[in-house]
Amino acid sequence: MPFLGQDWRSPGWRWVKTEDGWKRCETFSHALQDGNNQLNDISHTVIITGDDENEEVYNTEDCEFAAKKRKKDHFRNNTDSQCFDREKWIYVHKESTKERHGYCTLGEAFNRLDFSSAIQDIRRFNYVVKLLQLIAKSQLTSLSGAAQKNYFSILDKIVQKVMEDQYNPRLIKDLLQDLSSTLCILIRGVGKSVLVGNINIWICRLETILLWQQQLKNLQMNKQVNNGLTLSDLPIHMLNNILYRFSDGWDIITLGQVTPTLYMLSEDRQLWKKLCQYHFAEKQFCRHLIPSEKGHIDWKLMYFALQKYYPIKEQYGDTLHFCRHCSILFWKDTGHPCTASDPNTCLMPVSPQHFIDLFKF
C-alpha cells in the first residue's frame, strides 16, 4: 500500500510554546492571514445570501472550514511553484535502498534536466534531437504516459523552432521520418500491448507527425540580403579550411551547391579521404573498397557506403555529464552538489546512446 502521508525524513512541523502548552505554528502569507481575519470577523449568527425562502445559511463552523481550505490551497500553490526552482540534475540509481525507493525513468529525466529549455541553446540542440531520434528507434514502447507527454511536447517545440529559425531542418526531417516509420509498425501491432496508452491517441500523434513532415517539406528558406562581405568573397584557402571543419558529408555536399568554386572544393578526394579516416577505422576500409574509373579509391562513395554499416563519430557543442563519484547526471554548466575532493576527475561526458543505456533496467 503506498505511503500517502508526509515524508518521515522531512523537518516536520514548527511548534511554539504558549501559556496553554505547545501549539503547532502554521506559516502562511500575511495576505492570507488578513483574509482569514475577515472571515473570523463575520457575525457568529448567520449569513443570508438570498431573498428567497430557500436561502442558504452559513454558521461559524463553515467559515472556519473555508479558512482552513484556503490555507491548504495556499500551501499547495507554494509547493507547486517550488518545483520550477529545482536543480537541473538527477541522481541515477538502478536499485532500491532504505533511503531511496523506485527507479529513475526517462520521463523524470526529461523534467529534471529541462530538455525544453535545452533546445533553445544552439550547443545542445543537436544533442537533444539525436537523443529523441534514438528513443524513437528503440525505446518508444517503454515510455510511460508522462514520458510520452514530455517527449512529444519537446518534439513540438523543436519543430516550431525549426519553422521559425530555419535551423538544421534536415536533422529534424530524419527524426520525424524515423518516428513515423516506427509508429506505423507499432500501430499495426495493436493487440500485442506494444504501446502504452490508447491506440487512438497514438494515431492522432502519427497524424500530427505527418503534418509536421509536410510543413517542413514546404519550408522556404528566407534569403538574407547582405551588402557586406559574403562567403564567395573569401579566399579559396579559407573556403577550403571551412570545408575541412565539417564532420558530416551531407553538409559538405549542401555547401558545394552554393557556388561553382565551393562545388569544386567539395569534390576534392583528399577532403573525403580525411573525412573517412576521421569516422572509420582502416579495417573497415578494406571491407568496402570502391575504386573509381581511373583505378583510384572513390573516397566520397566510400564515406556514404561505410555510413550504412558503421556509426559515425558524433560531435556536439555541449553534452550531459555523469559524475562517477555522486552518480548524478547533469549539464556541465549548471553543475551539481559534488562531494569529491577533485570533481573534475569524476566527470564523464554522456553520449545520447549512453544516456538511454543509463535508464535501461
Side-chain angles (χ1 to χ4, degrees), residues 192-208:
K192 300 179 181 179
S193 301
V194 293
L195 288 172
V196 177
N198 192 302
I199 187 63
N200 295 325
I201 296 178
W202 285 103
I203 293 176
C204 292
R205 289 170 177 170
L206 179 58
E207 293 175 352
T208 303

Side-chain angles (χ1 to χ4, degrees), residues 12-50:
W13 298 101
R14 181 181 178 185
W15 295 84
V16 179
K17 188 175 183 179
T18 64
E19 296 180 355
D20 299 331
W22 290 90
K23 290 187 177 181
R24 190 173 67 191
C25 178
E26 299 181 4
T27 58
F28 46 91
S29 63
H30 295 289
L32 184 62
Q33 178 66 45
D34 296 339
N36 293 336
N37 291 337
Q38 293 177 2
L39 286 176
N40 294 331
D41 293 339
I42 298 176
S43 174
H44 287 250
T45 56
V46 295
I47 301 177
I48 302 177
T49 61

Side-chain angles (χ1 to χ4, degrees), residues 162-321:
V162 174
M163 296 296 296
E164 295 174 1
D165 302 342
Q166 301 176 350
Y167 176 74
N168 207 345
R170 178 174 56 83
L171 188 64
I172 312 306
K173 291 179 181 179
D174 294 340
L175 166 61
L176 294 179
Q177 180 61 39
D178 292 337
L179 185 57
S180 61
S181 301
T182 303
L183 276 182
C184 288
I185 297 174
L186 294 178
I187 288 176
R188 294 193 192 102
V190 63
K192 300 179 181 179
S193 301
V194 293
L195 288 172
V196 177
N198 192 302
I199 187 63
N200 295 325
I201 296 178
W202 285 103
I203 293 176
C204 292
R205 289 170 177 170
L206 179 58
E207 293 175 352
T208 303
I209 294 171
L210 296 177
L211 177 62
W212 287 339
Q213 287 180 312
Q214 188 63 35
Q215 292 176 352
L216 291 174
K217 184 179 181 180
N218 299 332
L219 179 63
Q220 298 293 332
M221 305 299 289
N222 297 330
K223 294 183 179 180
Q224 296 183 357
V225 179
N226 189 0
N227 297 326
L229 185 67
T230 63
L231 189 63
S232 303
D233 298 328
L234 297 177
I236 294 181
H237 71 276
M238 294 185 65
L239 296 175
N240 197 37
N241 288 335
I242 293 175
L243 288 171
Y244 270 85
R245 294 294 188 275
F246 288 174
S247 61
D248 192 335
W250 286 109
D251 291 337
I252 296 177
I253 293 178
T254 303
L255 185 59
Q257 297 174 351
V258 177
T259 62
T261 302
L262 287 171
Y263 176 77
M264 177 191 66
L265 295 176
S266 65
E267 294 294 322
D268 183 21
R269 291 181 62 253
Q270 192 66 22
L271 171 65
W272 290 98
K273 181 180 179 180
K274 291 288 185 182
L275 191 63
C276 289
Q277 291 176 344
Y278 173 76
H279 287 289
F280 310 106
E282 186 175 355
K283 294 181 179 179
Q284 298 171 344
F285 296 160
C286 301
R287 299 176 183 176
H288 305 276
L289 289 176
I290 303 177
S292 61
E293 297 178 355
K294 298 181 180 180
H296 302 291
I297 298 177
D298 194 334
W299 292 104
K300 182 178 179 180
L301 293 179
M302 175 79 75
Y303 170 81
F304 290 103
L306 294 174
Q307 192 180 28
K308 296 179 181 178
Y309 299 98
Y310 310 103
I312 63 176
K313 290 184 179 179
E314 300 174 356
Q315 285 186 338
Y316 305 103
D318 190 16
T319 64
L320 289 171
H321 282 69

Side-chain angles (χ1 to χ4, degrees), residues 83-94:
C83 296
F84 296 97
D85 299 329
R86 293 181 300 182
E87 296 84 357
K88 297 180 181 179
W89 53 265
I90 184 171
Y91 179 83
V92 181
H93 53 101
K94 294 188 175 182

Side-chain angles (χ1 to χ4, degrees), residues 90-95 102-109 113 115 127 131 134-135 138-139 142 319-324 326-331 348-361:
I90 184 171
Y91 179 83
V92 181
H93 53 101
K94 294 188 175 182
E95 58 183 7
Y103 302 90
C104 295
T105 62
L106 281 174
E108 185 180 1
L113 297 175
F115 285 143
Y127 183 91
L131 177 60
L134 292 176
I135 293 176
S138 60
Q139 299 296 314
S142 63
T319 64
L320 289 171
H321 282 69
F322 182 75
C323 180
R324 293 186 294 266
C326 306
S327 297
I328 287 179
L329 191 65
F330 64 100
W331 294 105
M348 178 180 65
V350 177
S351 65
Q353 184 60 53
H354 186 197
F355 174 87
I356 295 178
D357 295 337
L358 289 175
F359 294 94
K360 284 183 179 179
F361 305 108

